[in-house]
Amino acid sequence: MTTTDLSTEQEEMWRTFFDDNHADLVIVAEMLLRCHLSPERILRKALSGLESSSCEVTFEQAIQAVIDTVIEYNRETANSPLQAKTLAPVKLKVPGISQISMLPWPERAVYFLRGVLHYSCEETGLLLNLRDVEIDQLYKFATKRIGHESRMCQR
């Protein structure tokens, strides 16, 4: 098998993987996007970066590529007039996802990375360009807000 054949096979494997896991990858993008931008645009860019890579086709690699792409877009738009958005409730296999999606962006991003994807405080800080103490505060705020929302819904 030639190098070109291997490259084409790798591209096809990534395209199939992204198609098969589309809904979950969209949720990752939506949870971390700071501004109004199509998650499809994020997925296309993340996929294009992976198609030529030689890394193994895994969910972790796909999630990392989506996260890296979202962070890149968030940094590019940090000084733009676009405002941070609050998402409409969504359905995913993560308990409390609708409450998470209603959090303000900084809390949502931190809670999603720390509480759902189980990133360390240090990893989260590096991705979001925040200090550990800021990550801890945002995570506590999010946890309190989610706890308050769930108590309100039970009434």
Side-chain angles (χ1 to χ4, degrees), residues 110 121 125 130-141:
V110 167
C121 187
L130 296 170
R131 296 173 303 158
D132 289 355
V133 77
E134 293 169 312
I135 298 295
D136 289 339
Q137 283 180 327
L138 289 168
Y139 189 78
K140 285 178 191 174
F141 292 155

Side-chain angles (χ1 to χ4, degrees), residues 27 89-93 97:
I27 295 301
V90 293
K91 292 186 169 125
L92 183 66
K93 302 168 227 149
I97 195 71

Side-chain angles (χ1 to χ4, degrees), residues 27 30-31 85-104 107-108 111-112 116 142 145-154:
I27 295 301
E30 287 179 339
M31 286 291 120
K85 69 174 181 174
T86 299
L87 298 174
V90 293
K91 292 186 169 125
L92 183 66
K93 302 168 227 149
V94 176
I97 195 71
S98 63
Q99 293 157 327
I100 297 168
S101 69
M102 298 304 290
L103 293 170
E107 292 175 29
R108 183 176 73 227
Y111 190 87
F112 191 73
V116 176
R145 203 181 299 256
I146 289 171
H148 176 71
E149 289 294 321
S150 65
R151 284 193 302 276
M152 295 296 285
C153 292
Q154 292 173 356

Side-chain angles (χ1 to χ4, degrees), residues 2-69:
T2 67
T3 305
T4 304
D5 292 339
L6 287 173
S7 176
T8 303
E9 183 179 320
Q10 182 78 4
E11 288 176 20
E12 186 58 37
M13 287 186 340
W14 275 115
R15 277 190 223 112
T16 301
F17 187 86
F18 266 63
D19 287 343
D20 292 347
N21 295 283
H22 184 264
D24 290 334
L25 295 172
V26 165
I27 295 301
V28 171
E30 287 179 339
M31 286 291 120
L32 299 174
L33 269 171
R34 181 179 209 129
C35 62
H36 296 282
L37 181 68
S38 167
E40 297 302 325
R41 188 171 168 190
I42 297 293
L43 295 188
R44 281 192 306 272
K45 182 159 181 169
L47 174 60
S48 72
L50 287 171
E51 285 177 331
S52 60
S53 76
S54 61
C55 63
E56 184 181 353
V57 178
T58 65
F59 195 61
E60 290 77 20
Q61 290 290 344
I63 285 178
Q64 190 59 53
V66 171
I67 290 171
D68 290 345
T69 304

